[in-house]
Amino acid sequence: MTEQSIYGHLREFREAFDKPEPLAWPEISHGQLLMMMSPKKQHQLVAHRLRTQLEPQLGTDLVLMLETDMEDAALGVLRVPDLVVIDEEEATAESDAIDPRRCHLVIEIVSRSNPGNDYEGKLRDYPAMGVPHYLIVDPRDGTAVHHWAPTRRTGEPTYDNRQHYTFGDTVTITGWKIDTTVLPRYSADAGR
């Protein structure tokens, strides 16, 4: 079986999948169906605060979407970013999933249940998909990392640049500013 046929089968299975609570829609990467827990309220509060800061800065030709499929079928990857900035034209296109080459920024909020997905799996997939800017926000320890400039210089997809931040810093990405002082850290008893 080829990688493309495996991806096709996983994609069909995902569409027919009746997800049990509290699971979110599965992602697909490297021939695997990845099951994630549904976002918890503290995770969603961080997403809300990021969204309310970014949306007024985007202008009329860009939109910020939450938890929307982003697919590169040629790579066999389907991810569901927490937040993604895309062209308005892409938001109204006929396909069900976002074309990653039409996005400007992906933001993932690290979950307690599976931090490796954001720091490893998505850090491998997003540069391969051509995502130009990837921001990882980690409420577990109050940090953020901005990755940008996808490259294959080392033979594997990666980002050429990265900048580390701590909550309290202002993150600047292509002129957009994110004030991390308003982002809450997870409480000791929080889930994702």
Side-chain angles (χ1 to χ4, degrees):
M1 223 181 221
T2 67
E3 284 187 42
Q4 286 294 37
S5 64
I6 291 170
Y7 179 75
H9 289 296
L10 290 172
R11 188 73 164 92
E12 288 174 17
F13 177 75
R14 181 184 188 267
E15 292 306 311
F17 185 69
D18 185 19
K19 71 177 185 75
E21 291 296 326
L23 297 177
W25 283 107
E27 296 179 322
I28 302 171
S29 178
H30 293 271
Q32 295 181 338
L33 198 63
L34 307 169
M35 306 298 287
M36 305 297 155
M37 298 297 291
S38 294
K40 304 293 184 227
K41 68 180 181 180
Q42 288 184 333
H43 178 277
Q44 294 302 78
L45 178 59
V46 174
H48 169 74
R49 291 198 175 156
L50 289 166
R51 184 177 192 171
T52 57
Q53 287 187 63
L54 280 172
E55 279 185 325
Q57 301 178 59
L58 296 181
T60 59
D61 59 333
L62 298 175
V63 294
L64 184 103
M65 302 192 88
L66 300 173
E67 298 178 353
T68 305
D69 290 353
M70 186 169 69
E71 179 178 38
D72 188 325
L75 288 176
V77 177
L78 187 149
R79 291 296 191 166
V80 184
D82 290 322
L83 298 103
V84 59
V85 175
I86 61 173
D87 296 316
E88 173 83 24
E89 184 179 324
E90 176 63 16
T92 59
E94 295 230 359
S95 67
D96 289 335
I98 295 168
D99 178 347
R101 288 164 294 284
R102 302 287 306 273
C103 84
H104 300 274
L105 167 65
V106 165
I107 301 174
E108 293 290 358
I109 302 159
V110 176
S111 67
R112 285 183 190 265
S113 63
N114 192 6
N117 190 40
D118 299 318
Y119 283 111
E120 296 165 18
K122 291 180 181 180
L123 193 52
R124 174 192 62 231
D125 289 346
Y126 287 152
M129 295 169 87
V131 172
H133 294 272
Y134 174 35
L135 179 65
I136 302 171
V137 177
D138 195 338
R140 297 172 313 149
D141 63 3
T143 62
V145 185
H146 172 207
H147 298 270
W148 72 97
T151 184
R152 285 190 172 268
R153 189 168 24 112
T154 62
E156 293 293 321
T158 188
Y159 285 103
D160 220 15
N161 301 296
R162 92 174 146 245
Q163 177 70 45
H164 294 267
Y165 299 91
T166 58
F167 284 16
D169 296 335
T170 297
V171 177
T172 302
I173 301 174
T174 70
W176 306 318
K177 297 195 180 303
I178 299 169
D179 177 8
T180 62
T181 60
V182 300
L183 302 180
R185 292 187 56 183
Y186 291 149
S187 63
D189 63 341
R192 177 179 183 216

